[in-house]
Structures are given as structure tokens and as C-alpha cells.
Amino acid sequence: EKGKGEAKLGLVYNFHDDWDDLNLTSGVRYTVVPHLELALLNLDWRFYGESGNEGSSQDGLADPVIGMRYWLQNNIGIFADLSLPVGDDSYNHGEFQFRGGAQFSTKLMDALSLGSEAGLAFYTEDDDKKTRGITTNLSGELDYAIPSVPLTPFVGMEMLLRLLDSEQNNNDLD
């Protein structure tokens, strides 16, 4: 609905093999014209990021993301996002990320909604002359709108898959 927006604040825990991290995540969306939303996302602060074997720590500000989403008929949205390489150097490496995809959202009951997303991410060359391989994401979430207050807690899960190997000087790294 034109002139309305939302703010998001959450805690995100990620893990992969022996790597894990904890992030405070936030973002805002605003509907500028019917069906079109503009967003400033990934205003995240990483409390820690550690590899179990290396003991390395990575913390600080993430790369913010600007994005747009357009809602089509039948609760399907298409989106495009661009990450800006201005975050903390301990875990951001000076690359742009372009993401696009589709989302689906539907109400299961009055206060309970289901959302899902499928997307592709492309990366530019980073400061070390490396280019990460194309990745895809599949995700879903359940939202519960608390009727007495303007608050909608949610739980979700996201799976990331690398489709192509990362490269440095036209040589595969993975």
C-alpha cells in the first residue's frame, strides 16, 4: 500500500562446517507507489565470526544493501538488490553483489503468513582479484502478526548453494 513501510530488527546465527557467526540485523522498506517497494537492508552488525580451527575473529558492520521489490498478481514479487562494499574489512572484501529473484507470500490464517524466496547472486572481483562463484538461495519463513500491537515476529530458514566455483586470475579456487 502506497505510503506505508516496515522496519525489521533481528538476531541471525549462521553456521557452515566449522564456521559460525552471530549478527544483529536490521533494515527498512517503503512502498513509494502501489506494488513497488524500495529498501535499505543488511544494516547488520556482526558480533563475532569464528572458524573453529583457526580462532580468527571477524566483527563489525556488514555491507549495506539497496533494493527494490515489485509485487505482481497472485502474491508473487520480483526483486533486485545491490550490496555496497563499504562494510568492515575484517570480513567484507570490496566486492559488489547483485541479487535478483522471486518471492511468494500468502496468509495461512488471519495472523499467520508464509513467505518464500528463490534468488541468484552474482559478484564482482574483490580487492584480492577473486570473484566468488554464482550462488542461489532458497528460503522460507512463517510470520505471526500480533493483533494488539504492530509487531510481527517470524522464524525462517535459508539455504545457500554455490552454482559455480570462485576464481582468481581465471583459475578455479574451490
Side-chain angles (χ1 to χ4, degrees), residues 109-122:
M109 293 187 265
D110 278 345
L112 188 65
S113 297
L114 171 70
S116 61
E117 176 182 298
L120 285 174
F122 304 86

Side-chain angles (χ1 to χ4, degrees), residues 101-173:
Q103 298 172 328
F104 174 76
S105 179
T106 188
K107 282 191 178 270
L108 301 174
M109 293 187 265
D110 278 345
L112 188 65
S113 297
L114 171 70
S116 61
E117 176 182 298
L120 285 174
F122 304 86
Y123 305 87
T124 62
E125 188 173 86
D126 68 15
D127 295 337
D128 298 324
K129 306 294 184 208
K130 295 177 186 172
T131 304
R132 284 200 278 171
I134 296 171
T135 58
T136 186
N137 73 295
L138 303 169
S139 59
E141 69 182 43
L142 282 172
D143 305 347
Y144 180 74
I146 300 173
S148 58
V149 294
L151 182 65
T152 305
F154 68 92
V155 294
M157 183 172 279
E158 180 174 41
M159 180 175 63
L160 299 172
L161 301 169
R162 181 162 295 161
L163 300 178
L164 296 175
D165 290 339
S166 297
E167 294 181 350
Q168 186 171 26
N169 300 323
N170 294 323
N171 296 315
D172 288 347
L173 293 176

